[in-house]
Each structure stands twice: as C-alpha cells, then as structure tokens.
Amino acid sequence: MTIRQRWRLELEDGTILCGTGFGAGLAVAGEVVFNTGMAGYVESLTDPSYRGQILVMTYPLVGNYGVPAPRKPGSLDGPFESDRIQVQGLVVQHYVDEPSHHASQRSLGDWLAGERVPAVTGIDTRTLTRRLREFGTMRGWLSPEAMSQAEVKKNADQRDMRLGIFREVAPAAPVRYEAGPLEVLVVDAGAKDNIVRSLLARGASVTRAPWHCDLAPLAERADGILIGNGPGDPKDLGPLIAQVRALLGRHRRPIFGVCLGNQILCLAAGGDTYKLPYGHRGVNQPVRDLRTGHCYITSQNHGYAVREDSLPAGWQPWFVNINDGSNEGIRSTTEPYFSVQFHPEAAPGPQDTAFLFDDFLRLAGELKA
C-alpha cells in the first residue's frame, strides 16, 4: 500500500479539504456522495451504482477488517458486488492499514492501489457530509496537493455519466445461470451480483442481459423479468425505457424493478423522475408499506426518485420513505408489475425485505402454471 503525503478534495463550490493520500496516485473527478453505513465497504466499493462517483464514508473507521482474496474470474462469489471497484475515489476520516479479520487477505489500500483507485484519509467527513446535506450533492476533484487546480481540472480521470456509464457497468452479452425450472430475465444496467445470487438461491434460473440488447425474445421465454439497479440518471436510458414500455403492453408475467428499475418502470409507464438533493445511500433507510402499514429498515443507494404525483392511471405508490416522504415503490393496479426503490438483496445491509424475491418468484410460478 502506498501512502502519499498531502492530498485534497475540492468541491465545485470552492470548498477544499486536505488529508493524506493512499491507494492509487492519479487525480479523479466525479460527483461526491456519502454513505452512512458502519460496515460493508467491500460491497459498496464494488456496487455498479457508484460508478463514476467519489464516495465519502461517514463512519469514521474504514479498512479495519481488510479485504478478502479476489474471487475467481467469472464467478458470483461475495462479498463483491461486481468484478471490480466501481467508485472514482474514496474519502474517509480514519483509514486502518493493519486490518484484523480471519478472511482478510490484503489491506483496503493495497486493493485500491491494485485497481488504480485513489483515496484520502484524515478528512473531517462530518463537516463534508453536513455541507453536502445543506447544499446538495456536487461535483468534486480528488488529487495530490502538489498538482495545480488547473492541471487537475484538465487532466483528472472522469466517466461519461450519460449513456457511456451504463455501457461500462453492463455485460457485453447475455449470461446464463442454471438453477431451476423458473426462468427469470434480469435486465442489467449495473445490477448487483447479489440480485442474481438471491434468485439462484431460491431455485430460479437466470438470464442476465445487458440493457442495450434486444429484450423482446428473451422476455418471451421468461417467467418473470427483473430490472436491476445501476448508476446515473434514468432518463438517459431512453432505449431501455422504450423497450420496457413495449413489454408493458404485451407481457402478462411479473415485472419487478429494483432501485433504478423502479425509476425505469415509472418512466416506461408514463411517469416522471427527479434528482434528490443528496440521495439515499446507507443501510438504515426506513420505509412503510402503504398497503399493510408495516415498516422496514432497508439498504439503499440512489440519487434519483419517482415523482409520485406523476403516476398515470392504473398505477399507485407502494412504499414511502419515512424520513423524507419520497417514493420507495410503485405497483400496477391491473397487471403483475411492481418495483421498489430500495435493495431487497441488501449486500450490505439488512435483509428485512428479502421476502420480495419470494413473492416475485411465487407469482411467476402461479402465472406460469
């Protein structure tokens, strides 16, 4: 692991915070977002929904349990949620370079350096988070302090946050996983691996298809469709929205959206989405089921939400966020189409809503019979 001397994080409003660099040595740019989870940094760093973003961990101690050995190429082994680190950079208050855990094979810094991802420690993440909460998510630059600001802004590595970002996180072609008689099509625009693991563990076979492929023939063979999570603005996925809209007109088997999938289903149905001030990223977001009144603690990672008052006739809100009242799920009143804004597969976080996978597959089995 390489420790560098002085690094800085500069926000677009002119705020500058300085600390000590670790991980890779290149300057990066991206939207600065924060996650409130106390643990689960391995899962978070590999979550494709963070692609192109600089991640701030609000919990002050990061790296203390290290990182497991790399998984085998092509496998779905956890705790990794994809085959690489997805964030642009990492910001922490206190980095631990000597981890202690029976499964640890390397330090967080070594892992970051090996995948060319920079990080900085010694930042007052409470002050940074309060600023993001007050003024909203904003763009930032993470770089060695010795680099001039002009050089950083000209040369910093950054991602194309429109269609380019979605192509980076999707598979090049459909991938098949055999597990049982039920057939589920997972539409992948950055889906976490634990979504697929959750379906396989319940005895469903999965075809994981990139969002940009022709979904219609795959949908015809599926007993259910799951639209997964992903990064960026859902409105940039116009081709996927059009494909899902066509499916809503003729597919009579269950369609289940998760996170980005909630927004895609809303847009395909004729509704609207908007950007939240600083998003929901953590493992303790409370939601209420509007049908039953039951409340659940959920894992979330998103910066956009469904505009509830835009839902067309035949659609209704399903879940609501107890903290800010934003939408957390929608349902069709006439067809087996439904979606949630949170992550029932967790990874990291509570598995309180994992029963939604059971409900989805049970309904798929009933409609297949």
Side-chain angles (χ1 to χ4, degrees), residues 319-338:
F319 288 91
V320 63
N321 188 291
I322 297 173
N323 285 338
D324 63 11
S326 61
N327 178 267
E328 292 284 354
I330 61 175
R331 296 180 65 92
S332 168
T333 59
T334 59
E335 301 290 347
Y337 310 149
F338 45 90

Side-chain angles (χ1 to χ4, degrees), residues 60-71:
L61 190 67
V62 179
N64 51 307
Y65 55 87
V67 179
R71 69 183 185 184

Side-chain angles (χ1 to χ4, degrees), residues 280 284-290 292-300 302 318-329 340-343 352-353 355-356:
H280 300 150
N284 60 349
Q285 288 286 329
V287 304
R288 178 185 293 117
D289 185 331
L290 296 174
T292 66
H294 291 172
C295 297
Y296 304 94
I297 301 299
T298 65
S299 176
Q300 300 196 19
H302 64 102
W318 184 10
F319 288 91
V320 63
N321 188 291
I322 297 173
N323 285 338
D324 63 11
S326 61
N327 178 267
E328 292 284 354
V340 295
Q341 190 59 64
F342 48 88
H343 286 270
D352 299 31
T353 56
F355 67 87
L356 293 171

Side-chain angles (χ1 to χ4, degrees), residues 211-286:
W211 61 271
H212 49 78
C213 78
D214 185 3
L215 299 176
L218 297 173
E220 289 179 3
R221 300 192 292 271
D223 300 311
I225 300 172
L226 190 152
I227 308 169
N229 64 290
D233 185 342
K235 292 179 180 177
D236 289 333
L237 279 172
L240 175 58
I241 294 166
Q243 288 209 72
V244 174
R245 183 176 294 126
L247 290 175
L248 295 182
R250 64 174 182 266
H251 191 77
R252 294 294 180 263
R253 293 178 178 177
I255 298 178
F256 179 26
V258 172
C259 196
L260 177 70
N262 184 53
Q263 302 154 21
I264 295 297
L265 192 61
C266 167
L267 292 168
D272 192 21
T273 59
Y274 67 101
K275 189 171 185 177
L276 293 164
Y278 47 83
H280 300 150
R281 298 177 180 88
V283 296
N284 60 349
Q285 288 286 329

Side-chain angles (χ1 to χ4, degrees), residues 101-121:
H101 191 278
H102 68 90
S104 177
Q105 295 287 313
R106 49 197 164 149
S107 71
L108 174 59
D110 288 339
W111 184 35
L112 290 164
E115 299 208 15
R116 292 181 53 76
V117 177
V120 62
T121 181

